[in-house]
Amino acid sequence: MNRRAILPYIFALSGAVLLVLAFSRMRHLILPEGSTSSIGPFWTKNNQYCKWVFSHYESSPYEASWFANIETAQSHICETVAKPEHKNASEIIVTRTLELMSLPSSSKWETYDTFNTTSFHSSDSFMSRMHYNRTCYDSKTEKFKLAKGKGVQLIEPLWGMLRDPFDRWCGDKALKMEGQANATGQSKAHIMPQGYAPYTYTDSSTPPTLEESRQQEWRTHGLPPWHSSLRPSSDPRVGVAFQPPQNIHLDLGSSYFKVWGNDRGAASGQWFYDTYHARGQPFHRFIAVEVETLNDTTAFRQIPDDLVGVYTLMNVGLTMEEGDKLNTVDMIKRVVKPEDFFVFKLDIDSAPIEEPIVKSLLEDNPDEGGASALIDELMFEHHVNYSPMNGPWGNPKGVGDLHRSFNVFRDLRRKGIRAHSWP
């Protein structure tokens, strides 16, 4: 048989291998036993592939109360947070978040819906919500269409200083909580990353109300079905093939992996590794960007063995200049696909660069190739002007205040980005 004669068989085989690899990567796509849904999260009875997409963001009643008062409260924010009703709420939110984050290192989620379901936790009433819809692929039109299925995942509310209220920034007025670790200025106790955020989904056609959701079964940890998805690609030689997603992290303002100077809290690489990579969802790419000159030997000595070849250090500054090969948003679009799980950290202590990046994300159209559609989780330290943070942040000018920061984070969440205020 000549080469041309066997080409169709090669194409068919390669397509089949691609499909098998995709299914192997997403081997957990079958609905687990005991699920609250009567339909599979990824497959219909007619073997249509389905994925979950962002629908809308819902502020919790507690978050809404802060939006109603933040414009005046920001001028005396430490005193406001210290009021009994807010101190009590802060204790509930932070205690719940620390509880969710405090898992033994052996707990991992290598598959979807790893953890068993449990009942609604009363503390979760304080949390805000990201809502999702289920869509299914029509091979004839090569498009995804809305289908039955609604999902909800919790996220910490926007409240107070948008930081851990028990950290040290309010000085003598700082809140104290029994069992809380010593405040370092870098506390992340208020952040609820996706893998640690309770979620639920059903085959309903309407999103559940808060009261309805209390009656549903929730999973406290693990990968929800909207974590990532397969990417369908049509080839006339093999039909539709589904390519597996990747887990990608971009750390813009990385410093060293484990420690910067003598401050381990200022080096974020280890936190992202422990929070995501070591939990059974390893990063396929880990891109660290730092404008300050680093020692290559020191930098690579600090990374774990299983990041060698995955970790990339870019010891240059990125920009937002149009046409520049180091344009931040353009680089994200080159590296990340919509189906990937992408975690982006933005903290370079430079508002003139940070602000244009966030402005671009807020103004783009996610349905027309905007980078906002690529970001699943964003950790962003928004450097604005308000007391007491205007001291350590150098009294930044022309960047707005805490009220503006509240709006920025809510607007990012309204675009489907799990946006957290990074310390």
Side-chain angles (χ1 to χ4, degrees), residues 106-148:
S106 58
S107 295
K108 303 179 187 296
W109 32 89
E110 297 176 343
T111 65
Y112 285 84
D113 294 344
T114 309
F115 285 66
N116 293 328
T117 58
T118 185
S119 57
F120 184 82
H121 195 287
S122 59
S123 300
D124 292 344
S125 298
F126 284 87
M127 309 303 175
S128 294
R129 297 166 167 234
M130 309 287 285
H131 290 262
Y132 301 87
N133 291 329
R134 183 170 175 266
T135 64
C136 296
Y137 186 71
D138 186 333
S139 58
K140 294 180 180 179
T141 63
E142 298 184 3
K143 293 181 179 179
F144 282 90
K145 294 182 177 180
L146 190 65
K148 291 180 65 177

Side-chain angles (χ1 to χ4, degrees), residues 9-20:
Y9 297 96
I10 294 175
F11 289 141
L13 179 61
S14 63
V17 169
L18 183 60
L19 189 61
V20 168

